[in-house]
Short mmCIF file of all heavy atoms in Angstrom, two decimals:
data_model
loop_
_atom_site.label_atom_id
_atom_site.label_comp_id
_atom_site.label_asym_id
_atom_site.label_seq_id
_atom_site.Cartn_x
_atom_site.Cartn_y
_atom_site.Cartn_z
N ASP A 124 -33.89 -4.27 -47.32
CA ASP A 124 -33.19 -3.37 -46.39
C ASP A 124 -31.92 -2.79 -47.03
O ASP A 124 -30.85 -2.80 -46.44
CB ASP A 124 -32.86 -4.10 -45.08
CG ASP A 124 -32.56 -3.12 -43.96
OD1 ASP A 124 -32.94 -1.94 -44.09
OD2 ASP A 124 -31.94 -3.53 -42.96
N TYR A 126 -30.40 0.13 -47.54
CA TYR A 126 -30.63 1.47 -47.00
C TYR A 126 -29.75 2.55 -47.61
O TYR A 126 -29.99 3.73 -47.41
CB TYR A 126 -30.48 1.46 -45.47
CG TYR A 126 -29.15 0.95 -44.97
CD1 TYR A 126 -28.07 1.81 -44.85
CD2 TYR A 126 -28.98 -0.38 -44.61
CE1 TYR A 126 -26.85 1.36 -44.38
CE2 TYR A 126 -27.76 -0.84 -44.14
CZ TYR A 126 -26.70 0.02 -44.04
OH TYR A 126 -25.50 -0.44 -43.57
N GLU A 155 -29.60 8.17 -48.26
CA GLU A 155 -30.44 7.31 -47.42
C GLU A 155 -31.66 6.89 -48.25
O GLU A 155 -32.26 7.72 -48.93
CB GLU A 155 -30.86 8.09 -46.16
CG GLU A 155 -31.43 7.22 -45.06
CD GLU A 155 -32.85 6.77 -45.33
OE1 GLU A 155 -33.68 7.60 -45.75
OE2 GLU A 155 -33.12 5.57 -45.14
N GLU A 157 -34.54 4.70 -47.32
CA GLU A 157 -35.76 4.08 -46.80
C GLU A 157 -36.71 5.06 -46.13
O GLU A 157 -37.88 4.77 -45.98
CB GLU A 157 -35.39 2.98 -45.80
CG GLU A 157 -34.67 1.83 -46.48
CD GLU A 157 -34.42 0.65 -45.57
OE1 GLU A 157 -34.81 0.69 -44.40
OE2 GLU A 157 -33.80 -0.32 -46.04
N GLU A 158 -36.18 6.21 -45.71
CA GLU A 158 -37.02 7.10 -44.90
C GLU A 158 -37.34 8.40 -45.63
O GLU A 158 -37.42 8.42 -46.84
CB GLU A 158 -36.28 7.44 -43.59
CG GLU A 158 -36.00 6.25 -42.72
CD GLU A 158 -35.60 6.66 -41.33
OE1 GLU A 158 -34.82 7.61 -41.20
OE2 GLU A 158 -36.07 6.03 -40.37
N MET A 199 -37.36 10.75 -40.11
CA MET A 199 -35.92 10.53 -40.28
C MET A 199 -35.37 10.13 -38.92
O MET A 199 -35.42 10.91 -37.97
CB MET A 199 -35.23 11.80 -40.80
CG MET A 199 -35.46 11.98 -42.30
SD MET A 199 -34.83 13.52 -42.98
CE MET A 199 -33.10 13.39 -42.60
N SER A 200 -34.88 8.89 -38.84
CA SER A 200 -34.47 8.38 -37.53
C SER A 200 -32.96 8.47 -37.34
O SER A 200 -32.19 8.51 -38.31
CB SER A 200 -34.90 6.92 -37.39
OG SER A 200 -34.16 6.11 -38.28
N GLU A 201 -32.57 8.43 -36.07
CA GLU A 201 -31.14 8.42 -35.74
C GLU A 201 -30.49 7.14 -36.27
O GLU A 201 -29.41 7.17 -36.85
CB GLU A 201 -30.99 8.51 -34.21
CG GLU A 201 -29.56 8.50 -33.75
CD GLU A 201 -29.43 8.73 -32.26
OE1 GLU A 201 -30.45 9.00 -31.58
OE2 GLU A 201 -28.30 8.65 -31.75
N PHE A 202 -31.20 6.01 -36.13
CA PHE A 202 -30.66 4.71 -36.55
C PHE A 202 -30.34 4.70 -38.05
O PHE A 202 -29.23 4.39 -38.47
CB PHE A 202 -31.69 3.61 -36.21
CG PHE A 202 -31.33 2.26 -36.76
CD1 PHE A 202 -30.38 1.47 -36.11
CD2 PHE A 202 -31.92 1.78 -37.92
CE1 PHE A 202 -30.05 0.21 -36.61
CE2 PHE A 202 -31.59 0.54 -38.44
CZ PHE A 202 -30.65 -0.24 -37.78
N GLU A 203 -31.34 5.08 -38.88
CA GLU A 203 -31.15 5.03 -40.33
C GLU A 203 -30.11 6.06 -40.78
O GLU A 203 -29.28 5.77 -41.64
CB GLU A 203 -32.47 5.32 -41.06
CG GLU A 203 -33.49 4.22 -40.96
CD GLU A 203 -33.15 2.97 -41.75
OE1 GLU A 203 -32.16 2.95 -42.51
OE2 GLU A 203 -33.88 1.98 -41.60
N SER A 204 -30.21 7.25 -40.23
CA SER A 204 -29.28 8.31 -40.63
C SER A 204 -27.86 7.88 -40.31
O SER A 204 -26.95 7.99 -41.14
CB SER A 204 -29.59 9.62 -39.91
OG SER A 204 -30.92 10.01 -40.20
N LYS A 205 -27.67 7.36 -39.10
CA LYS A 205 -26.31 7.00 -38.69
C LYS A 205 -25.76 5.83 -39.49
O LYS A 205 -24.59 5.82 -39.85
CB LYS A 205 -26.26 6.68 -37.19
CG LYS A 205 -26.23 7.93 -36.33
CD LYS A 205 -25.93 7.59 -34.89
CE LYS A 205 -25.67 8.86 -34.09
NZ LYS A 205 -25.61 8.63 -32.65
N ARG A 206 -26.60 4.84 -39.82
CA ARG A 206 -26.00 3.71 -40.55
C ARG A 206 -25.65 4.10 -41.98
O ARG A 206 -24.71 3.58 -42.56
CB ARG A 206 -26.83 2.44 -40.46
CG ARG A 206 -28.15 2.43 -41.15
CD ARG A 206 -28.73 1.01 -41.02
NE ARG A 206 -30.05 0.95 -41.61
CZ ARG A 206 -30.68 -0.17 -41.90
NH1 ARG A 206 -30.10 -1.32 -41.67
NH2 ARG A 206 -31.88 -0.15 -42.42
N LEU A 207 -26.40 5.08 -42.52
CA LEU A 207 -26.05 5.59 -43.86
C LEU A 207 -24.74 6.37 -43.80
O LEU A 207 -23.82 6.16 -44.59
CB LEU A 207 -27.22 6.47 -44.36
CG LEU A 207 -27.17 7.16 -45.72
CD1 LEU A 207 -26.49 8.50 -45.71
CD2 LEU A 207 -26.58 6.27 -46.81
N ILE A 208 -24.65 7.26 -42.82
CA ILE A 208 -23.45 8.11 -42.70
C ILE A 208 -22.23 7.25 -42.36
O ILE A 208 -21.13 7.48 -42.85
CB ILE A 208 -23.69 9.23 -41.66
CG1 ILE A 208 -24.84 10.14 -42.13
CG2 ILE A 208 -22.43 10.05 -41.43
CD1 ILE A 208 -25.40 11.08 -41.07
N ARG A 209 -22.46 6.19 -41.56
CA ARG A 209 -21.37 5.26 -41.21
C ARG A 209 -20.78 4.64 -42.48
O ARG A 209 -19.58 4.55 -42.66
CB ARG A 209 -21.91 4.18 -40.28
CG ARG A 209 -20.86 3.26 -39.71
CD ARG A 209 -21.47 2.25 -38.75
NE ARG A 209 -22.01 2.85 -37.54
CZ ARG A 209 -23.30 2.84 -37.18
NH1 ARG A 209 -24.20 2.25 -37.94
NH2 ARG A 209 -23.69 3.41 -36.06
N TRP A 242 -26.44 14.14 -36.01
CA TRP A 242 -26.11 12.71 -35.83
C TRP A 242 -24.84 12.37 -36.60
O TRP A 242 -24.05 11.54 -36.16
CB TRP A 242 -27.28 11.84 -36.33
CG TRP A 242 -28.50 11.92 -35.46
CD1 TRP A 242 -28.53 12.03 -34.10
CD2 TRP A 242 -29.87 11.88 -35.89
NE1 TRP A 242 -29.84 12.07 -33.66
CE2 TRP A 242 -30.68 11.98 -34.73
CE3 TRP A 242 -30.51 11.78 -37.13
CZ2 TRP A 242 -32.08 11.97 -34.78
CZ3 TRP A 242 -31.90 11.76 -37.18
CH2 TRP A 242 -32.67 11.87 -36.02
N LEU A 246 -21.66 10.83 -34.78
CA LEU A 246 -21.16 9.51 -35.19
C LEU A 246 -19.66 9.57 -35.47
O LEU A 246 -18.89 8.71 -35.03
CB LEU A 246 -21.90 9.06 -36.45
CG LEU A 246 -21.47 7.70 -36.99
CD1 LEU A 246 -22.27 6.60 -36.32
CD2 LEU A 246 -21.65 7.63 -38.49
N ASP A 329 -26.50 -4.08 -45.44
CA ASP A 329 -25.34 -4.55 -44.69
C ASP A 329 -24.59 -5.63 -45.48
O ASP A 329 -23.39 -5.76 -45.36
CB ASP A 329 -25.75 -5.05 -43.31
CG ASP A 329 -26.05 -3.88 -42.39
OD1 ASP A 329 -25.45 -2.80 -42.59
OD2 ASP A 329 -26.91 -4.01 -41.50
#
Side-chain angles (χ1 to χ4, degrees):
D124 199 18
Y126 56 86
E155 195 285 314
E157 294 186 1
E158 297 194 318
M199 282 174 60
S200 68
E201 180 174 355
F202 173 79
E203 289 289 354
S204 302
K205 281 190 170 170
R206 68 175 177 165
L207 179 273
I208 297 166
R209 188 177 293 116
W242 290 324
L246 180 88
D329 284 331

